[in-house]
Amino acid sequence: MKPMTRLLCLPLGGVLFLAGCATMAPHYERPGAPVPSAWPSGPAYKEGAGKPAEKPVADIPWQDFFVDPQLRKVIALALENNRDLRVAALNIERSRALYQIQRSDLFPKVDANADGTFQRIAENFSGTGLPENIHQYNVGLGVSSYELDLFGRVRSLKDQALEQYFATQEARRSVQISLVAEAAGNWLALAADRERLQLAKDTLASQQASYQLVKSRYESGVSSALDLHQAQTSVDTARVDIARYTTFVAQDENALNLVVGSTVPAELLPASLTETLTALKDVKPGLPSDVLLRRPDILQAENLLKGANANIGAARAAFFPRITLVSSVGFGSDDLGNLFASGSFVWQFLPHISVPIFDAGANRANLQVAEADRNIAVAQYEKAIQTAFREVADALAQRGTIDDQLAAQKSLTDATGESYRLSQARYEKGVDSYLNVLDSQRSLYGAQQNLIGVRLSRLANLVTLYKVLGGGSE
């Protein structure tokens, strides 16, 4: 092999070995989790909340947690049509393309080129005393501005782009988990408001019957005008609630349609909350170390931290020389017909070395910025863990008390129902006034509405717990 040919092989082949050098980025170590190693304990929490779970919630697909067929179909529609999830998926594609762009800088870019030059030289410049026409033709392959990554600057930038790509993947998982939880929460809220509306309608029918009874007793002189007007207030109160809950049901449907991204078919809408009490499975939290570090938002924060760490390597490499290569090989001739003839082979090799000497502190400032960004990313990562711990702890606190609250509310509803029945019987026998009946009816109606609310809270707590424990990503 000729000496010059060996030189040309360097930028086209051997540089790949040189570009494989390690970066100058600091060694990455995952920061310790700034939260306790166990979930909180106390009267608000169930015993055994900190024991290892048989299966981590992050490994439980949403299809196994949401067992109601209608709800499953609604969630599937949301995953197919929701625009936020589409944006998250497109961000992954965009980030992947940016990573590929950055990664391509590790390799020489070879371009094919062909050009021609046509020039007329004046007789004073030709050397022959006559005007001269010059034709030149060139064709070849060339490498333009390829940086030998001896100090890992380009590789550090590639690593940063890769971590950004991983972060967008975790961001999409986080959006999907939130979407599954939001779709389920809106569906359950619609079920609760539909049941409240039906309760208001049933109460109106009951109060209208009571009003007719009081009216007939008033016309017979048995009941007073006060009793009649009190009965009228019960009827009007039920009418007000019917109008109010009719509005709530319509708004719930609008909210559900927005989350799903299309109009939800009527057959997938819930009739009442009572019919959906077994729509969800129960979950166990497990240990914080098993839960928090698997949440996609925390993994996203860690990927951004790794990317910031890689940027320090690029900033450090800026203090060292940069070697850029430009080379080309091909054929040249002043006659197009002899372009590939013997002796027309040409080459060019232009190495360029840039050594930073004075930059008014720009490189040092860039390094300080990169280190500050890394420290900010550490704080954000730790804050993400603390926020996640608080979300799980809050959900566990409600979970530990919601069953007791539900049992107490159900007992209260049963007691007020019996009180209403007795007061109604005493009024009909003339023992009590209608005011006692009205108070008992109001208490029963309020207890029934609260029971629906507590049941909704229990189901919503299960959804929230499933979400904050990192489930729903499949």
Side-chain angles (χ1 to χ4, degrees), residues 297-351:
D297 56 336
I298 294 177
L299 293 175
Q300 178 188 2
E302 185 176 11
N303 288 136
L304 295 176
L305 170 58
K306 291 179 179 178
N309 195 69
N311 267 340
I312 295 179
R316 288 177 175 176
F319 287 90
F320 296 86
R322 294 176 61 179
I323 302 175
T324 305
L325 302 180
V326 177
S327 64
S328 64
V329 295
F331 299 90
S333 174
D334 58 0
D335 185 1
L336 185 59
N338 296 324
L339 181 60
F340 298 101
S342 176
S344 61
F345 178 75
V346 296
W347 57 264
Q348 185 181 37
F349 180 52
L350 301 174

Side-chain angles (χ1 to χ4, degrees), residues 126 198 315 421:
S126 65
Q198 186 59 47
R421 187 187 66 80

